[in-house]
Amino acid sequence: ITFFGACAECLAKHQRIARIEAIADAAQTLPRVEAFRRASLTSPDLVQALGQDLIAIAVRCFDEFSTFSIVGGSLSYKTLLACALFRRVLRAGVTGDEAAFELARGARFVPALELEERFHVAMGATLLVLDDLGAELTSCPSGSALASQRIERSVKILHARHNAGRKTVLTMGMPLARVDEVYGAGVLGRVVDEKRSAAHVDLGGMS
């Protein structure tokens, strides 16, 4: 019995190591800022900034809806909250069941500014955090062909992932009232309508 127990413990250890290695690619997509790479839902900075109640709401929305949007200004901690949720998935992938592992292994964090070159990565991710939606338009003139191309690409990602039921977290610094104005009619409903498996939290901080 002792020998069997030792073997079981050894196998569990090897499985844990194998999972950590398999999830490493997902972890590497986090922003290269130490605070983001170590983000935690229980970190003092996040708890002090948002409060435990709001964090709990964000966790519930993330768990229950396929599309979850975090809206807020530049100092609202929206990216830190998204990173903390992302890392929660990675940790669950190490110790959880096979479904948790598969979700973690295929998770990807993609800044909206990099969506053009990482489009296929974003489309295929089991979990996608698309950070700072709207930022991809800041470097091109409004109404230009380039802006239209980037809008089309963003909308394609949102619609395809929503229709497929793939878990998606969006952070955005624009008021929700502007989403349809910028991205076209119907997009807002896909990111905030609970009847369509979407929800959001507003962290404030926008003028």
Side-chain angles (χ1 to χ4, degrees):
I1 295 175
T2 303
F3 178 71
F4 176 79
C7 285
E9 183 180 345
C10 185
L11 286 173
K13 181 178 179 180
H14 281 297
Q15 182 187 53
R16 180 182 176 87
I17 292 172
R19 285 191 170 194
I20 290 173
E21 291 175 348
I23 294 170
D25 286 345
Q28 287 301 313
T29 64
L30 281 164
R32 296 188 180 280
V33 176
E34 188 66 17
F36 293 152
R37 287 185 170 261
R38 299 182 63 180
S40 167
L41 294 170
T42 59
S43 69
D45 287 347
L46 196 62
V47 172
Q48 183 177 357
L50 303 182
Q52 291 181 339
D53 289 345
L54 185 54
I55 292 173
I57 290 171
V59 170
R60 180 179 62 81
C61 289
F62 175 84
D63 288 342
E64 295 182 8
F65 297 94
S66 60
T67 303
F68 173 48
S69 300
I70 306 171
V71 184
S74 59
L75 301 178
S76 64
Y77 288 80
K78 60 184 182 292
T79 297
L80 188 63
L81 176 58
C83 289
L85 291 168
F86 189 90
R87 294 190 69 244
R88 174 175 175 259
V89 168
L90 300 189
R91 288 193 297 272
V94 174
T95 59
D97 60 18
E98 193 66 22
F101 170 61
E102 291 299 332
L103 179 66
R105 181 169 65 169
R108 295 296 183 267
F109 189 106
V110 178
L113 281 171
E114 299 176 10
L115 188 57
E116 186 170 1
E117 58 265 35
R118 299 177 65 186
F119 178 82
H120 294 293
V121 170
M123 187 69 82
T126 54
L127 160 67
L128 170 67
V129 173
L130 185 58
D131 186 42
D132 207 8
L133 183 68
E136 74 277 17
L137 303 176
T138 58
S139 61
C140 51
S142 177
S144 66
L146 180 58
S148 297
Q149 182 182 29
R150 291 181 177 178
I151 288 171
E152 181 181 358
R153 186 177 292 110
S154 297
V155 170
K156 187 175 182 178
I157 285 282
L158 296 177
H159 284 340
R161 292 189 61 86
H162 181 87
N163 291 339
R166 287 178 176 262
K167 189 169 283 293
T168 306
V169 176
L170 308 172
T171 74
M172 64 180 84
M174 71 174 71
L176 290 175
R178 291 203 61 225
V179 172
D180 275 357
E181 175 188 336
V182 174
Y183 291 99
V187 174
L188 179 61
R190 291 181 180 262
V191 299
V192 301
D193 188 352
E194 292 190 9
K195 294 180 180 178
R196 304 175 77 174
S197 193
H200 78 285
V201 294
D202 191 336
L203 305 185
M206 290 184 292
S207 55

